[in-house]
Amino acid sequence: MIGILLAWQVAAAMPHLQQGRFADARPLLEKACAAKEPNGCYLLGRTLFTLDLYEPARAVLGPLAASDPDPWRVYDAIGSAEEAMRKPVEAERAFRRAVELYRDRGAEARYHLGRFLMREGRAADAVAVLVPAVKRFVKYELARFELGRAYYQMGRHAEAETELAAAPSLEEARRLLGKIRRQRGK
């Protein structure tokens, strides 16, 4: 009975989350998390992060990493919270742990680490992380865009063009691609 109640609280929070009403979802998720419902705790941590409550988000997510059924997502969220709190060493450690745990099931973890490295001004490091992601998941446009940005920052414009052209649905990719082509006289 308690499990059903906890699942109901998480389910009741979902419409609020989907509509961007995070403050409304928070009490439902707090109840579910207080009763140790893992998905409720994860969603609470992400909700707190979205509400710019980084320390509380980190406090919820930290203990969850050891028990969550898919811990890569917890480390990924911890990385985002650490970055928001301007703790780049801790953020990178968490993002790298997410990549390690996610392995090659998808490109998301590598994309998030690559994006973080780009924000840190480390384009070459971002390339090293993103190349395996785009080789395996060629249609994941966000990773292609971030790799294109990294190549552009490194002055490798031909490679940047290739990656950005592979992300046609992203406005940012189309704009940067146009800029590169203008710079190259194309």
Side-chain angles (χ1 to χ4, degrees):
M1 179 67 175
I2 292 175
I4 293 171
L5 178 60
L6 296 177
W8 175 85
Q9 287 172 324
V10 172
M14 293 309 292
H16 298 300
L17 296 174
Q18 292 166 343
Q19 295 168 10
R21 295 180 13 235
F22 300 101
D24 294 336
R26 182 178 174 183
L28 296 166
L29 296 172
E30 286 174 334
K31 288 177 186 173
C33 185
K36 307 289 188 231
E37 202 288 324
N39 204 39
C41 289
Y42 172 73
L43 291 172
L44 174 61
R46 295 299 303 191
T47 296
L48 292 169
F49 175 81
T50 302
L51 293 170
D52 298 330
L53 299 169
Y54 308 125
E55 290 283 352
R58 179 65 176 85
V60 167
L61 293 166
L64 188 59
S67 63
D68 193 78
D70 210 357
W72 84 269
R73 69 183 187 160
V74 177
Y75 282 103
D76 193 69
I78 289 170
S80 295
E82 298 287 11
E83 182 182 9
M85 291 186 295
R86 302 184 197 281
K87 296 181 178 180
V89 172
E90 294 85 347
E92 183 172 352
R93 186 179 310 122
F95 282 128
R96 287 194 183 277
R97 183 72 174 130
V99 168
E100 178 184 312
L101 291 168
Y102 199 52
R103 293 187 175 82
D104 287 323
R105 292 186 288 165
E108 292 85 1
R110 285 184 177 276
Y111 162 67
H112 293 156
L113 174 57
R115 185 180 59 187
F116 163 76
L117 293 168
M118 283 298 293
R119 287 193 291 251
E120 290 294 302
R122 297 168 50 195
D125 292 336
V127 166
V129 167
L130 292 165
V131 165
V134 301
K135 282 185 178 179
R136 182 157 175 154
F137 302 98
V138 295
K139 294 185 181 195
Y140 192 74
E141 291 187 16
L142 291 170
R144 303 295 298 253
F145 166 66
E146 207 62 51
L147 181 57
R149 282 185 57 218
Y151 282 142
Y152 177 71
Q153 290 295 317
M154 296 171 68
R156 295 166 59 178
H157 294 161
E159 291 161 295
E161 274 190 77
T162 299
E163 296 305 326
L164 295 167
S169 72
L170 301 177
E171 177 64 31
E172 305 94 332
R174 291 193 306 269
R175 282 193 307 241
L176 184 53
L177 180 59
K179 179 180 179 178
I180 292 169
R181 287 180 173 163
R182 284 188 304 277
Q183 289 175 347
R184 296 184 76 200
K186 289 185 172 184

